[in-house]
Amino acid sequence: MQITGFNPTNGPVDTRVTLSLTDMPSDASISNTTVLLSGSPTVNVTAVDTRGGTIDVTILANSQSGDFEVTVQKQPVPVTAQSSTIFTVNAAPGAAQITGMQPRTVVRGETPLTLSGQNLDQIRYLRIGVVNVLSLTHLNSEMVRVTVPAAVQPGQQRVTGQTQDRQVNCPFILTVQ
């Protein structure tokens, strides 16, 4: 199974999106098909058309703004497809949104990590993997810098920010050495 595209390619919460796929299993259905945005089940599968090779989804309210890889999983025999392009969940006006991360590989305890985006002054702390990072340097409303703590495990880690009332996902995976 392969994702060949999705329409539209971006939108806010409640956007209806149609995914186009090739080699979709003939037994795929709403009950055995899951669509994930960067590993999170924040979409609702509303229709599966195996003959037309499409899956319709709606972006749920718990989706975070940002750019996400789209993954389709079909059970009980695992069949997975991952998009080669990204879907962008548009942030609500005035909401914090992370759109960049430099560098993407860091040495824990040494390398400064800079996140860029909009309204980042709303972020109170970051989570890198399972470690909360409370010491942030807000360079301005569009940039936040931290040093990755030594407590963060080596490997690929997700970075998320936390505002007073919502989580803000970084669309990139951080490699920690």
Side-chain angles (χ1 to χ4, degrees):
M1 182 166 62
Q2 182 177 359
I3 300 172
T4 58
F6 34 90
N7 186 28
T9 58
N10 66 74
V13 167
D14 293 329
T15 297
R16 295 180 57 103
V17 182
T18 299
L19 306 173
S20 299
L21 298 98
T22 59
D23 303 321
M24 188 185 312
S26 60
D27 63 339
S29 67
I30 290 175
S31 63
N32 67 7
T33 303
T34 304
V35 176
L36 307 171
L37 295 181
S38 288
S40 297
T42 57
V43 300
N44 183 34
V45 177
T46 57
V48 175
D49 178 0
T50 57
R51 289 185 184 190
T54 62
I55 299 174
D56 292 338
V57 299
T58 302
I59 307 299
L60 297 176
N62 63 337
S63 293
Q64 303 302 316
S65 61
D67 298 333
F68 298 93
E69 295 175 333
V70 178
T71 304
V72 175
Q73 296 177 334
K74 187 254 172 209
Q75 298 293 338
V77 177
V79 178
T80 302
Q82 188 164 321
S83 66
S84 59
T85 57
I86 55 175
F87 181 84
T88 302
V89 177
N90 300 332
Q97 182 175 14
I98 300 170
T99 58
M101 177 173 70
Q102 288 298 323
R104 301 222 181 138
T105 300
V106 298
V107 175
R108 56 192 176 144
E110 295 179 21
T111 311
L113 174 67
T114 302
L115 301 176
S116 57
Q118 294 82 43
N119 303 307
L120 297 184
D121 50 345
Q122 297 174 20
I123 293 179
R124 295 179 174 208
Y125 67 90
L126 292 176
R127 178 172 287 164
I128 301 175
V130 298
V131 176
N132 288 334
V133 182
L134 303 176
S135 179
L136 307 176
T137 301
H138 288 89
L139 302 174
N140 55 46
S141 66
E142 297 177 350
M143 292 183 123
V144 173
R145 183 169 291 147
V146 300
T147 298
V148 177
V152 174
Q153 293 297 310
Q156 296 198 334
Q157 301 292 343
R158 175 144 317 275
V159 178
T160 56
Q162 185 63 48
T163 67
Q164 181 175 345
D165 58 356
R166 61 187 287 274
Q167 181 177 309
V168 182
N169 290 325
C170 178
F172 309 104
I173 298 295
L174 179 66
T175 301
V176 178
Q177 300 177 336

